[in-house]
Amino acid sequence: MNGTKTGSSNLLSSFSGLADAEAAVRNLSGALLARDVVTIRRIVVRAVAERGFSSMWTTVVAPVLEWADDGRNSDAAAVSVRVFAECVAGILSTMTLDAPIGGGGRVLLVQVPADTPDAVPADPYGLEFRALGAALATASVDTRIALPLCRSALLAAVTNAEPDVIVLWLPAAGCDVPSLLRAIRRRRTGLTVLAGGPGCRTQSLPRTITVLGALDAAVGAVAAVT
């Protein structure tokens, strides 16, 4: 009981940082503190309907995630953040699955496994990756999503999906991108390759790969080559 009170106190201590935020952000922060998954879902879904997916993510969810990460300094606070992250991940997955299949070229969005298997991911819940998948799907891009555990599984996904465009979501821990790219092209010729994720900020990439920017720009870049 004491741990829960302390955890709430730690998060609340940074709540003042959202005092000037818009109502949707404050309400979502309150739902996080209450671990109210129904309200979290309602706020997110309403924001998508009112402002579109990319705007919802950048103006509502991202500020709350940043605030929560700053205030996560106790076990109880960490649990609240985990509940929130799992809830958001579920919402994103549902939006991705429920979106109508888009037209144009087929896109494979794949989370590339790190070369070091036990590396701690920068985004343990894969929310940025899932957000891009949901944004593409809701923008009527024909998107397939893969989360392979190893390189051979990634290459199998390329063979099975037969994509026209592949988006490599690179891990912060690093991976051998040139070698991976050669292996991918042996299985699927004529592919347009783009990359996003924390790994784009930590390693140099071949010039043949287009690096994606922020979510809205990333969706536009992918849609432009399909």
Side-chain angles (χ1 to χ4, degrees), residues 177-191:
V177 176
S179 172
L180 176 62
L181 194 57
R182 288 193 296 270
I184 289 173
R185 293 199 182 279
R186 283 196 294 268
R187 286 159 177 78
R188 182 72 173 171
T189 59
L191 270 175

Side-chain angles (χ1 to χ4, degrees), residues 154-174:
L154 188 157
L155 296 176
V158 173
T159 300
N160 294 332
E162 299 183 336
D164 301 295
V165 177
I166 185 167
V167 180
L168 302 174
W169 192 260
L170 301 176

Side-chain angles (χ1 to χ4, degrees), residues 9 22 36 54 143 152 168 188 195 211 213 215:
S9 172
E22 63 170 297
D36 182 350
S54 294
T143 308
S152 60
L168 302 174
R188 182 72 173 171
V211 177
L215 183 62

Side-chain angles (χ1 to χ4, degrees), residues 6-8 12 16 18 21 26 33-34 51 56 67 70 82 94 113 135 138 140 160 166 188 193:
T6 302
S8 298
L12 283 169
S16 59
L18 297 178
R26 296 197 307 272
L33 288 171
R51 61 187 82 188
M56 174 280 298
W67 163 78
D70 289 342
R82 176 177 60 78
T94 299
T138 55
S140 299
N160 294 332
I166 185 167
R188 182 72 173 171
V193 182

